[in-house]
Amino acid sequence: MSWTSSSRSSNPRGSQAPSGRELAARQRRAERETLKAQAEQEVMEEAREHEDLINCWRQMPALPTDAEYRASLNERPFAWPVPQAPDEAQERRQFREEIQRRVLSDRSDGGRFILLGVLAILIFKGVDNQLQEAMGSGAAVLGLSLGLGPVIAFGLKRSLEIQRFCSERFEEHWPKHWQAAQRAFAAKQQALLDWPLEERERIEFARRILDGEVEAVEEAVSTCLEELDFPFETQARVGVDDSLRAYILLDLPEIEDVIPEVKSRALANGTVKEVRRTRQDRNADYLTLVSGLALQIGRSAFCAGPTLQTIHVAAYTQRRSRGTGAVRDEYVYEVALERKESARWAAATVDPLEVFNVAKGRYDLRDNQELKAISPPDWTADVTGGSEVAG
């Protein structure tokens, strides 16, 4: 029986390998898809940053419980590890090792050392080949000695130089290093010694706040608002009338400073194009931002002043008059926030305008989402002399 082998084409009948033009077209399509994906990613990141900005106020603190407020009157343990005096022998050893690492990293003659090693191998081979017949196996010993001799000599010389240089640098810088280590320990030791006094002062201030002392509450609220981190410039002025009520004047950022007139759009060809935002979209984003700031500032003020039950917030911004072109302050909302209501806010979902409406706040919102100017609250003059904070 005989077997007959036959060969078949790897391509199906009628199919052909892609031509160079088709391969080039596929490559161009792949490149366009890559550029398009990159453009879309860039636009998505820009949009996410914008959303984070207009919703930055949602990072509001939770209201402490009564038990947490009372716990602030307890003396706390030292907030850091108890400092240990530096061990001079250990410091000397570590400092010397540090100097050696720095010196070795700064030395630039390693290349010469490698070059000498290569030359040693070449010399060893040359001598070994020439003396093999005359000296037999002794030629290898002689060749190795002649080849490695300069390398060993250079290595010993380099090692001695590095040790001498390290010793000189150590003796030069050790006194300052040891003094710095002792000063650092002294500073930590002083912090430990000062801790009981600082705690007594903190507890006394916390007691004044819990007792509703007006000056202490105003200072606590002002400090709290000053520590808020906004991604833009803003200022607030705080006034505390009594243990139950506080008043805050909020200087809002201008819409031009926080809501760009344009946004990016990814095109099918992989490029990014700037397009203008509509006036209504800009107004809506600005409304979300500035109305939410009232909630964040109000919740923060309630946290700082446990006796406060009502926080009055009035906000204004700088606008240019269409008639004269002069820049003037225009109030855009006023709201009285209540502690009990603020405890119910879910930071991720709360709607500031719904809060304003429940609290019967004052604002003039037009169909295009623009906040028009309102008359200043009656109490603004009383807060003018209050504590001013910047964020």
Side-chain angles (χ1 to χ4, degrees), residues 21 58 61 63 248 322 340 348:
R21 181 177 298 178
R58 294 190 184 277
L63 282 177
I248 300 174
R322 293 182 179 179
K340 291 182 179 180

Side-chain angles (χ1 to χ4, degrees), residues 26-227:
R26 292 179 184 179
Q27 183 176 357
R28 287 194 297 271
R29 284 196 297 271
E31 291 175 350
R32 284 197 299 270
E33 290 298 323
T34 300
L35 292 175
K36 181 181 177 182
Q38 292 175 348
E40 291 174 346
Q41 181 65 27
E42 180 181 339
V43 171
M44 287 177 58
E45 290 179 358
E46 179 185 298
R48 184 163 50 249
E49 291 177 358
H50 182 70
E51 285 295 318
D52 290 343
L53 172 68
I54 65 176
N55 288 288
C56 64
W57 54 271
R58 294 190 184 277
Q59 302 297 322
M60 62 178 71
L63 282 177
T65 63
D66 292 340
E68 289 172 329
Y69 280 124
R70 290 193 299 270
S72 66
L73 300 178
N74 300 328
E75 185 173 345
R76 303 170 302 179
F78 188 58
W80 299 275
V82 176
Q84 302 294 326
D87 181 270
E88 184 173 1
Q90 182 179 0
E91 284 287 333
R92 289 178 68 92
R93 183 175 62 259
Q94 292 177 347
F95 186 58
R96 188 180 295 275
E97 292 174 354
E98 179 183 350
I99 286 179
Q100 289 177 346
R101 285 193 298 269
R102 292 179 181 177
V103 170
L104 289 175
S105 65
D106 293 341
R107 300 286 290 190
S108 59
D109 54 0
R112 289 189 294 165
F113 193 77
I114 296 174
L115 179 60
L116 281 175
V118 174
L119 290 176
I121 295 174
L122 295 176
I123 292 173
F124 167 71
K125 284 188 174 182
V127 173
D128 182 54
N129 292 334
Q130 294 176 8
L131 300 182
Q132 183 68 36
E133 296 181 358
M135 300 182 61
S137 60
V141 177
L142 178 59
L144 183 62
S145 301
L146 292 175
L148 294 182
V151 178
I152 295 174
F154 176 78
L156 289 174
K157 180 176 179 295
R158 181 175 182 269
S159 178
L160 292 174
E161 288 180 351
I162 290 176
Q163 290 181 11
R164 177 180 56 80
F165 187 72
C166 289
S167 297
E168 292 176 354
R169 179 169 290 191
F170 175 84
E171 295 299 332
E172 178 184 358
H173 295 285
W174 165 251
K176 292 182 179 179
H177 177 84
W178 178 238
Q179 290 175 5
Q182 290 177 313
R183 286 196 299 269
F185 168 70
K188 295 178 181 178
Q189 185 71 13
Q190 189 61 47
L192 176 62
L193 297 175
D194 293 341
W195 182 258
L197 176 60
E198 293 177 357
E199 274 298 280
R200 286 195 294 271
E201 293 176 348
R202 183 194 62 81
I203 291 173
E204 176 58 27
F205 184 64
R207 193 182 307 278
R208 291 169 57 199
I209 296 173
L210 290 175
D211 290 342
E213 185 178 317
V214 171
E215 291 183 358
V217 173
E218 183 173 304
E219 181 180 348
V221 172
S222 299
T223 301
C224 176
L225 298 186
E226 193 171 29
E227 292 175 352

Side-chain angles (χ1 to χ4, degrees), residues 2 27 68 75 118 138 161 216 234 326 331 350 380 388:
S2 63
Q27 183 176 357
E68 289 172 329
E75 185 173 345
V118 174
E161 288 180 351
T234 186
Y331 283 85
V350 62
T380 55
E388 184 175 357

